[in-house]
Amino acid sequence: MRISPREILETIKMVELEHFDIRTVTMGISLRDCARPSIDALCEAIYEKIVTKAANLVSVANDIEKEFGIPIINKRISVTPIALLADSLEEDNLTKVAQTLDKAAKEVGVNFIGGFSALIEKGFTKGDRRLLNSIPEALASTERVCSSINVASTRAGINMDAVGLMGKVIKETALKTAQNDGIGCAKLVVFCNIPEDNPFMAGALHGVSEAETVINIGVSGPGVVRNAISSIPKKDFGVLAETIKRTAFKITRAGELIGREASRRLGVEFGIVDLSLAPTPAVGDSVAEILETMGIDRCGGPGTTAALALLNDAVKKGGAMASCYVGGLSGAFIPVSEDAGMVRAVEENVLTLQKLEAMTAVCSVGLDMIALPGDTEAATISGIIADEMAIGVINKKTTAVRAIPVPGKKAGDHVEFGGLLGSSPIMNVSQVSCQSFVDRGGRIPAPLQSLIN
Amino acid sequence: MKDWQEISKDVLAEALKEETDNPKIIVSVLGKDQVGIIAEITAVIASLGGNIIDINQTIFRELFSMNMVLDISKTPEPFSKFKEELEAKGKELGLMVLAQREDTFTKMHRV
């Protein structure tokens, strides 16, 4: 049977009226063959490899967008964690490498490139330390480079030395980009259990177990889910979950279709579809509004964590059937500044940092795009990171912190990051010090995998 | 094997085969109803050599809605040309005209 007019109209409505789109087509590129002792030779090898492999990424994505009629918002690149290439270098400062990534991203026309990264959940090598020390200058002197640092995992526990150091790196990055409200920190994420195939920024990297090049897809569609829910206002939770599952199926199938087509045309292996519901600052494209449509007057109120848990689980169940390969973060995103509903809930003092932390226990990305007072101590940021890492380690899931201590701003002030990064009120942070806790150093041991209560 | 099974075996296999090598195009037209929409849109398709293999048109209150399935495999004109000219015609008539590959819909709505 040919496709029915009803099905055609439904898709058109999703795209034209409910902001449905493919959020990102991300090409993962291995740079493992680029390692060189001299930094200039390393940069040359990296640049050549990226501009060769991704030469057609943007034009192919644009063609597919036209043919299939589904907008592809971002084209991006993830690369091998740069720290792995830094061990054998004759140079300590990796800023030049970040600038090379930036230049390559501009050359091929992608808006972000991820992988200025290190995996240090257990400990540091020389290259890891070089990378961490280079972050503030690297992010201040580039536009499109994103950095992600994995400091904890369920198998390794939490590297508290790394957590302590990242508190300082975040502060320094904010200060180095003070003229732009600390925007460098919006491109820097601290992870627990980082996925190796995540297509979304700022946390995308091309994991060490990945193929030479790969195409990963991130879908979107909070507006579609919200509209589907608003059509069943009084139905019970079984119907609610089923409605979300059906919607997630459709959204994910579109992602799978676009991903397969992109991988075929580029001659690159298809990796995964990431099932995450990713909001944007646009009105009607908000995860918070989905929770509110379920029946909670304002995101952050009692019931919010349960609503989010239901949403996250139903999206995964519907999405898992729609794609052969699901991966990445695959959970609802709750970035504060990038979600108009979250911003409103913070402005009304309903959504607090504490409630957000609870919400991160049942979805994927953790404390994301939270603007903090500029005078927040490095140790306090490390404490916030440690809490978030503990949630991920114990619950065997990915969590992360992307916090921006905005220089010169205090709680209640407003900050404007612009574009997809949105705007946000500065959130209130507890003044209780955890300096002595962070200063202990060492590692928090990996947890038991039994006795799991 | 019964007669009907004998006959339907190959025919069904043929009918159920996914049309992957010759993707069809769906043209959707949405907008305020007016006289002559179908004539205008089909004229564009005919001028480019596209073959309409299915068509469905209804009016929801004042909203004109039409979907057409096109086979463009027998014309040298590329898909992009169809898309461009149909969308231009849509602008001229004050209608939303979209041209998309059929798989967008089949993949999203069919298991």
Side-chain angles (χ1 to χ4, degrees):
Chain A
M1 194 175 64
R2 287 245 166 245
I3 201 77
S4 78
R6 192 192 159 82
E7 289 164 324
I8 294 174
L9 280 178
E10 187 180 339
T11 297
I12 292 174
K13 179 167 154 259
M14 284 164 74
V15 173
E16 302 295 327
L17 300 176
E18 299 168 352
H19 304 283
F20 172 59
D21 53 51
I22 303 299
R23 184 51 47 82
T24 177
V25 172
T26 302
M27 179 183 266
I29 303 174
S30 169
L31 299 181
R32 279 157 62 177
D33 56 353
C34 297
R36 307 280 189 277
S38 124
I39 193 153
D40 290 329
L42 171 71
C43 288
E44 197 186 323
I46 289 176
Y47 183 81
E48 278 309 311
K49 182 140 193 196
I50 294 172
V51 297
T52 309
K53 294 282 182 187
N56 299 324
L57 173 63
V58 173
S59 64
V60 163
N62 288 343
D63 286 349
I64 293 176
E65 169 177 293
K66 282 195 198 105
E67 284 180 36
F68 289 88
I70 300 174
I72 300 172
I73 306 298
N74 300 299
K75 296 88 187 170
R76 293 170 171 174
I77 292 172
S78 61
V79 297
T80 304
I82 295 296
L84 299 177
L85 309 177
D87 286 309
S88 48
L89 267 185
E90 293 155 349
E91 164 91 35
D92 283 333
N93 189 334
L94 304 183
T95 305
K96 241 182 186 172
V97 180
Q99 288 164 345
T100 302
L101 293 174
D102 205 41
K103 196 170 127 204
K106 284 173 182 160
E107 172 62 27
V108 299
V110 297
N111 62 355
F112 279 119
I113 183 164
F116 198 73
S117 302
L119 310 173
I120 47 174
E121 59 267 33
K122 195 79 174 287
F124 302 89
T125 65
K126 196 165 57 176
D128 295 327
R129 286 199 188 276
R130 286 170 166 170
L131 186 116
L132 258 64
N133 292 333
S134 306
I135 288 174
E137 195 187 337
L139 294 184
S141 64
T142 56
E143 272 174 47
R144 306 187 186 189
V145 175
C146 291
S147 175
S148 50
I149 309 294
N150 196 60
V151 299
S153 77
T154 299
R155 291 201 174 272
I158 306 174
N159 180 351
M160 285 301 291
D161 289 329
V163 170
L165 193 50
M166 283 314 293
K168 293 179 191 143
V169 168
I170 289 172
K171 281 286 281 189
E172 207 185 316
T173 304
L175 289 175
K176 273 224 162 23
T177 51
Q179 72 283 9
N180 292 317
D181 289 321
I183 200 159
C185 297
K187 299 178 284 176
L188 173 59
V189 203
V190 185
F191 268 95
C192 166
N193 293 323
I194 193 169
E196 301 211 316
D197 49 9
N198 166 23
F200 286 104
M201 295 296 167
L205 55 78
H206 185 71
V208 287
S209 59
E210 294 286 315
E212 187 66 26
T213 41
V214 71
I215 288 289
N216 296 322
I217 302 289
V219 292
S220 172
V224 183
V225 174
R226 192 192 64 146
N227 276 8
I229 295 174
S230 66
S231 67
I232 48 155
K234 291 197 170 126
K235 302 282 189 208
D236 74 10
F237 288 107
V239 177
L240 180 58
E242 192 62 23
T243 305
I244 298 169
K245 273 157 65 179
R246 282 171 185 277
T247 312
F249 175 85
K250 291 172 191 168
I251 293 173
T252 311
R253 286 287 271 208
E256 166 99 0
L257 175 68
I258 299 292
R260 296 241 165 236
E261 192 64 22
S263 101
R264 191 180 65 76
R265 291 189 194 189
L266 289 163
V268 168
E269 204 169 307
F270 175 64
I272 56 96
V273 178
D274 188 316
L275 304 180
S276 305
L277 280 183
T280 66
V283 174
D285 205 21
S286 153
V287 169
E289 285 174 10
I290 296 178
L291 309 179
E292 292 174 0
T293 308
M294 283 188 198
I296 291 158
D297 279 356
R298 193 57 83 230
C299 178
T304 300
T305 310
L308 182 58
L310 181 152
L311 171 70
N312 202 32
D313 183 62
V315 166
K316 283 186 231 172
K317 285 172 177 162
M321 195 180 156
S323 172
C324 306
Y325 299 109
V326 169
L329 288 162
S330 285
F333 290 178
I334 49 170
V336 174
S337 72
E338 298 173 8
D339 185 311
M342 294 277 172
V343 169
R344 181 176 57 193
V346 172
E347 276 166 355
E348 292 176 7
N349 288 321
V350 180
L351 184 58
T352 61
L353 210 46
Q354 289 80 355
K355 188 61 181 178
L356 262 177
E357 186 180 311
M359 291 163 72
T360 64
V362 299
C363 72
S364 68
V365 281
L367 294 171
D368 196 16
M369 287 305 286
I370 52 168
L372 305 178
D375 62 358
T376 310
E377 300 283 338
T380 302
I381 296 173
S382 295
I384 293 171
I385 295 172
D387 286 344
E388 201 52 46
M389 299 300 108
I391 290 172
V393 165
I394 300 293
N395 293 306
K396 307 175 188 65
K397 66 188 288 298
T398 301
T399 50
V401 174
R402 182 160 51 146
I404 306 111
V406 185
K409 303 251 177 181
K410 54 184 195 307
D413 288 353
H414 201 84
V415 60
E416 186 79 43
F417 296 116
L420 272 180
L421 298 171
S423 65
S424 172
I426 309 290
M427 299 188 79
N428 201 14
V429 178
S430 166
Q431 296 300 312
V432 178
S433 171
C434 61
Q435 186 78 52
S436 309
F437 180 74
V438 171
D439 284 347
R440 283 174 185 273
R443 288 179 279 136
I444 295 182
L448 276 178
Q449 300 294 319
S450 60
L451 307 175
I452 53 174
N453 295 328
Chain B
M1 199 179 273
K2 292 193 184 76
D3 275 359
W4 74 267
Q5 286 174 318
E6 190 64 43
I7 299 166
S8 58
K9 197 172 68 186
D10 295 338
V11 180
L12 280 182
E14 182 70 33
L16 294 174
K17 217 177 88 189
E18 279 194 45
E19 299 173 46
T20 46
D21 31 342
N22 176 20
K24 303 285 185 294
I25 306 300
I26 304 273
V27 176
S28 319
V29 182
L30 273 176
K32 195 171 185 309
D33 191 24
Q34 53 188 279
V35 173
I37 297 177
I38 299 183
E40 293 269 8
I41 299 289
T42 51
V44 173
I45 293 166
S47 74
L48 295 171
N51 189 25
I52 301 172
I53 55 179
D54 200 352
I55 185 162
N56 176 292
Q57 185 249 301
T58 46
I59 312 248
F60 301 106
R61 281 175 250 153
E62 289 164 85
L63 181 73
F64 172 92
S65 167
M66 174 169 72
N67 311 116
M68 287 184 291
V69 184
L70 300 193
D71 181 353
I72 59 166
S73 61
K74 295 198 177 58
T75 150
E77 300 290 355
F79 168 75
S80 55
K81 183 85 175 158
F82 277 84
K83 189 178 171 72
E84 220 170 84
E85 297 216 358
L86 283 165
E87 288 178 358
K89 180 56 80 178
K91 273 213 179 93
E92 186 190 317
L93 299 173
L95 300 164
M96 186 177 80
V97 178
L98 300 172
Q100 288 158 277
R101 289 248 308 246
E102 188 182 30
D103 0 2
T104 303
F105 306 101
T106 42
K107 286 281 191 270
M108 278 175 81
H109 297 282
R110 306 284 167 86
V111 177

